[in-house]
Amino acid sequence: SQQGEEDPQALSIQEGENATMNCSYKTSINNLQWYRQNSGRGLVHLILIRSNEREKHSGRLRVTLDTSKKSSSLLITASRAADTASYFCATRNSGNTPLVFGKGTRLSVIA
Amino acid sequence: EPEVTQTPSHQVTQMGQEVILRCVPISNHLYFYWYRQILGQKVEFLVSFYNNEISEKSEIFDDQFSVERPDGSNFTLKIRSTKLEDSAMYFCASRSGVDEQYFGPGTRLTVT
């Protein structure tokens, strides 16, 4: 079955720096979504990118998708302490199939 | 902004007991899901529900699990006889015809 796998597993940066997290998957997808999870809390939807898109922006977030390499990256620019969380990618194979999540990247932003 | 809600936020139960986890999806959404996350692990799909029936389920979703949409607004997950390994965070999610899927805040289930 397809899996999104993020790397690095953990990332620690200083406030103001950019954070880049990567996600790889194994099979063809319809779309890929990024979520944030604060410790012990729910999953917050950040951004969706479709298989025919290469890049999307939302505020300080930039997502890229390379379907030839089966990979995506999430860039958070000018990070803040409040960005400290786990970030997950999740892929959807086709229209109504369930999302499949990766293991996540734990981001720590140090003030 | 509409959001998925879940109750209770934390449920403690003894092994062998039945639990019902409740969710209120976003009102105009058509597809409903349950996922779980064991502490420190990835989010795992349990079941999807569309048009008043299960559309897909994972191997985790065995005969001990059931889902219901009893009244057009609530969406419930029942575990008939809980095991220690059912301890996890359970997330409900919903989406409309578009692709973005929205998750609730989760119910932390602790089985003792």
Side-chain angles (χ1 to χ4, degrees), chain B residues 29-48:
Chain B
H29 283 190
L30 303 173
Y31 301 88
F32 313 111
Y33 305 86
W34 284 101
Y35 289 76
R36 79 171 186 192
Q37 184 183 33
I38 295 171
L39 186 64
Q41 298 188 22
K42 64 168 67 176
V43 177
E44 300 174 290
F45 166 72
L46 293 179
V47 65
S48 57

Side-chain angles (χ1 to χ4, degrees), chain A residues 2-110:
Chain A
Q2 67 181 17
Q3 286 184 323
E5 297 292 343
E6 295 90 339
D7 77 86
Q9 289 188 339
L11 179 62
S12 184
I13 59 173
Q14 296 289 324
E15 204 167 31
E17 293 181 340
N18 295 341
T20 300
M21 289 159 272
N22 303 297
C23 168
S24 61
Y25 55 92
K26 295 179 180 176
T27 64
S28 61
I29 60 170
N30 176 281
N31 64 72
L32 185 146
Q33 304 182 42
W34 284 91
Y35 289 84
R36 185 184 74 229
Q37 184 182 36
N38 290 78
S39 181
R41 309 291 290 276
L43 295 158
V44 175
H45 187 271
L46 295 177
I47 198 165
L48 176 150
I49 188 164
R50 292 185 172 79
S51 60
N52 61 352
E53 298 175 314
R54 292 295 166 258
E55 187 172 312
K56 281 188 87 168
H57 297 255
S58 176
R60 292 184 297 113
L61 305 180
R62 173 177 168 251
V63 169
T64 62
L65 179 65
D66 186 335
T67 52
S68 67
K69 295 181 180 177
K70 293 187 169 56
S71 67
S72 173
S73 67
L74 171 67
L75 168 68
I76 304 174
T77 60
S79 63
R80 305 166 183 165
D83 295 328
T84 295
S86 289
Y87 291 82
F88 296 88
C89 70
T91 54
R92 196 184 303 282
N93 191 0
S94 60
N96 294 325
T97 56
L99 287 175
V100 177
F101 281 81
K103 294 180 181 177
T105 293
R106 289 189 313 279
L107 174 66
S108 298
V109 182
I110 302 163

Side-chain angles (χ1 to χ4, degrees), chain B residues 6-109:
Chain B
Q6 290 185 241
T7 54
S9 57
H10 190 190
Q11 173 88 49
V12 181
T13 189
Q14 289 190 327
M15 201 166 49
Q17 295 296 305
E18 175 184 286
V19 293
I20 297 176
L21 310 183
R22 292 183 166 79
C23 168
V24 179
I26 295 173
S27 63
N28 62 342
H29 283 190
L30 303 173
Y31 301 88
F32 313 111
Y33 305 86
W34 284 101
Y35 289 76
R36 79 171 186 192
Q37 184 183 33
I38 295 171
L39 186 64
Q41 298 188 22
K42 64 168 67 176
V43 177
E44 300 174 290
F45 166 72
L46 293 179
V47 65
S48 57
F49 194 85
Y50 171 71
N51 202 24
N52 286 320
E53 61 183 22
I54 291 173
S55 49
E56 192 166 344
K57 59 184 180 180
S58 72
E59 291 177 354
I60 303 169
F61 194 87
D62 62 21
D63 292 345
Q64 294 299 311
F65 291 87
S66 63
V67 289
E68 234 183 9
R69 187 159 162 79
D71 56 12
S73 63
N74 291 286
F75 180 50
T76 62
L77 174 69
K78 182 193 291 186
I79 310 174
R80 288 191 186 80
S81 178
T82 50
K83 308 182 189 76
L84 293 176
E85 54 265 37
D86 293 327
S87 294
M89 195 79 157
Y90 287 80
F91 293 107
C92 173
S94 71
R95 68 183 177 100
S96 65
V98 299
D99 295 311
E100 284 85 357
Q101 185 163 315
Y102 296 95
F103 285 77
T107 293
R108 181 172 300 283
L109 177 65

